[in-house]
Amino acid sequence: MNILYEICHLEHSYDGQPVLAIPKLTIETGKITALVGPNGAGKSTLLRMLALVELPDKGVISCQGHRIQKNPASSLRRKIGWVMQQPYLFHGTALENVAVGLKCHGVAKGRHREKALQALRRVGFDASLKKPAMDLSGGQRQLVALARVLALEPEILLLDEPFSHLDRRSHEHLESLLRELSQKGVTVVVSSHDHLRALAWADAVVALEDGRLAGVPWVNILTGSIEQQRFKTGKIEVLLANGQLAGNRIAIHPRDIVLSKQPLQSSMRNRFPGRVTGLQEEGGCVRVTVMAGERFEVLITQESSQEMGLTLGQPLWVNFKSTSVKVFYS
Amino acid sequence: MDYFRSSLNAALALLISGDWEVYFIVWTSLKISLAAVALASVIAVPCGVTLGIAEFAGKRLLRQGLGSLMALPTVVVGLLLYGLLSRRGPLGDWGLLYTPTAVVIGECVLILPVMIHLVSTAVMGSDPRLLLTLKSLGAKGWRYFVLVLSETRAGVLAALVTGFGRAVGEVGIAMMLGGNIQGLTRTMTTAIALETSKGEFELGLALGILLLTVAFIINGLLVWLQPEK
């Protein structure tokens, strides 16, 4: 494992309010890492720190073995491309915006147009090149900002909610572009509030909640109470593993759930009958939504989906081990 | 009402009269004020942008001081520079007193803190994502400065317009350092003061209307120079 970023005992606060507290976190080189969590979880703050534009109050962040200081080496900064959730675009057209980055990196003026056009085409920007950047839609603005960064050929790409304003087609195009970049060795860190899609698509997922690393995925969260080793939601009762005695919520990883057409005779003690209410391609996998007393989101491969011949309304069993259930307070 | 009507008529008559002296007064006012703004810009724009970007101890106090100097009385500047430029003053040998250059220097000193303050305010009030974006794109030095200036140009232009307004409308410095010499340093404001002291109120008011008209045209030109996007 080749570690790119290493974070140790990071603490940060705004106006006395703690926003990040991460004891240890590593991000691997050449992989796609998704930072997921609800709004205000600290994803954007962490990305700003990884982008070297903000320093933590306490703790250490190292990038490629170099501890990040107040004035990081410009050679290190130039390896990083960062796109904000609502990126700032300069006055002028999309093309001129991409050219600004090239100017800052000292690229010869004669190559600006060619490189900018190439980057804009790559991200799938299809609006008028003569249109003022201020008149572009939210999604188009994000694509211009991404093109501005991609034109600089960064080794590390940090994207804050890059999919938030994109339509489905652009979303899929961007996902495959990021995958392609990752295969070429570029490290991609993406923040997202769509935990399920991140789980399906990214190589690694870091879940944040209130600035802390969340031990559970923010999918398949059920609320209820524990009685005699069972978690009662009011609709279903989930069997828990020994020792899981305290908490008011549970979470089940969508990859830990097994779907079957018949009840399984297996070691999985939790079995619930239900019906398929949703089927969607999600980052190369299939996201199956099953109503089985509670709503369950399940990720399976496209091959499994085809073999099972899944259709909407089809009766199915949801199965998972009691050890797959994470119990926590929230 | 007759007073204002006749003043307005007098102003219009002055404008279309083809009176060489009136045009020369207008030209002298414009020349001096624009030169003062140009000179002040060379110092105020880089200083204002730097002050807006930089973080250092005492920045707030410095800006507060510059803000206070916006209320600097013109006669105080005139008096200070008179002491420097008069024959017995340390710069008396330069022979600048009662020349347009002396008035340009005085007005430049007057508007400099105003312009630095306004330019720094424009930079500090710009979108906070601007500086972060420039930082992350690796912009440095001259390129960084030019990009910040380009993105905050509306505020910077407002600083120039304010500087011009203060320069063209002041009378204390023009009177003390220029001496209101006909055909040399007589500006619209000193001419108004002179005509009023002579009891020529209508002519004074007419020149006042002319001054406002000129200021309106110059402001219009500066705003026109500012692209919308």
Side-chain angles (χ1 to χ4, degrees), chain B residues 2-171:
Chain B
D2 278 351
Y3 171 67
F4 289 108
R5 196 180 299 125
S6 57
S7 299
L8 197 62
N9 288 337
L12 284 171
L14 269 178
L15 272 173
I16 57 171
S17 64
D19 184 338
W20 179 87
E21 197 189 334
V22 172
Y23 290 143
F24 191 81
I25 290 172
V26 173
W27 165 239
T28 307
S29 278
L30 278 179
K31 189 176 65 178
I32 288 174
S33 305
L34 289 173
V37 170
L39 188 62
S41 301
V42 174
I43 306 163
V45 173
C47 288
V49 171
T50 309
L51 182 60
I53 295 168
E55 289 302 330
F56 56 90
K59 176 174 173 171
R60 187 191 287 254
L61 195 66
L62 178 59
R63 292 193 73 250
Q64 204 176 325
L66 288 168
S68 308
L69 288 175
M70 288 170 90
L72 188 66
T74 58
V75 283
V76 172
V77 178
L79 204 59
L80 286 171
L81 285 171
Y82 184 86
L84 286 173
L85 299 175
S86 65
R87 194 169 294 239
R88 284 180 295 172
L91 306 177
D93 291 345
W94 293 5
L96 291 176
L97 195 63
Y98 303 133
T99 64
T101 310
V103 187
V104 169
I105 293 169
E107 289 185 353
C108 177
V109 170
L110 177 76
I111 63 178
L112 197 58
V114 181
M115 285 174 59
I116 294 175
H117 188 263
L118 290 178
V119 171
S120 69
T121 304
V123 173
M124 288 170 72
S126 66
D127 192 319
R129 296 172 302 168
L130 167 64
L131 299 185
L132 283 177
T133 303
L134 289 173
K135 206 171 169 183
S136 73
L137 288 174
K140 285 192 299 186
W142 174 247
R143 177 87 59 205
Y144 188 89
F145 171 78
V146 169
L147 284 167
V148 171
L149 190 59
S150 162
E151 292 300 302
T152 55
R153 58 183 179 263
V156 173
L157 200 65
L160 302 192
V161 170
T162 308
F164 173 77
R166 183 121 164 93
V168 82
E170 75 80 32
V171 64

Side-chain angles (χ1 to χ4, degrees), chain A residues 286-299:
Chain A
V286 177
R287 166 187 182 160
V288 187
T289 309
V290 184
M291 278 307 295
E294 295 283 356
R295 177 192 163 113
F296 288 93
E297 303 286 357
V298 187
L299 283 172

Side-chain angles (χ1 to χ4, degrees), chain A residues 12 31 43 68 75 77 93 96 98 119 128 164 174 194 213-214 232 237 240 242 246 260 287 290 293 302 316:
Chain A
H12 197 66
K31 301 277 186 199
K43 307 185 293 290
I68 295 172
S75 58
R77 195 185 282 287
T93 62
E96 286 164 342
V98 181
S128 165
S164 55
L174 183 55
D194 189 346
L213 293 175
K232 296 184 177 180
E237 288 186 15
L240 303 176
N242 286 334
S260 63
R287 166 187 182 160
V290 184
Q302 288 181 334
L316 269 187

Side-chain angles (χ1 to χ4, degrees), chain B residues 190-205:
Chain B
T190 55
I192 291 167
L194 179 71
E195 296 304 331
T196 308
S197 67
K198 281 161 46 185
E200 297 280 350
F201 296 115
E202 284 182 4
L203 191 58
L205 196 59

